[in-house]
Amino acid sequence: ALVVGLVNRAILGFVGATLGVVSTILLVVGAGPQITPTTTLLDILGYAGLGAGIILLLRVVLAAVRESP
């Protein structure tokens, strides 16, 4: 059970970090179809991905804090 929990946290941390990096790249690109005059589709996807990545990383942190003695 301990190994499964550690592997689960490692995978969630990796996915959250990867999602954050990819989302940052989407925000930096600056191209893409315009949704409004100032917002592109890549901006929306980038910010949504950053939010999801932060939530995943916070889940990993909270699981580690909850389990520590």
Side-chain angles (χ1 to χ4, degrees), residues 1 7 10 13 27 54-55:
V7 169
L27 290 172
I54 289 170
I55 289 172

Side-chain angles (χ1 to χ4, degrees), residues 1 14 18 28 35-36 39 43 47 50-51 56 58 60 62 64-65 68:
F14 177 75
T18 304
V28 171
I35 302 298
T36 67
T39 307
D43 289 337
Y47 285 119
L50 279 177
L56 286 176
L58 285 176
V60 171
L62 288 175
V65 168
S68 65

Side-chain angles (χ1 to χ4, degrees), residues 17-30 42-43 45-47 49-50:
T18 304
L19 194 55
V21 169
V22 171
S23 297
T24 304
I25 292 170
L26 285 176
L27 290 172
V28 171
V29 168
L42 295 183
D43 289 337
L45 293 175
Y47 285 119
L50 279 177

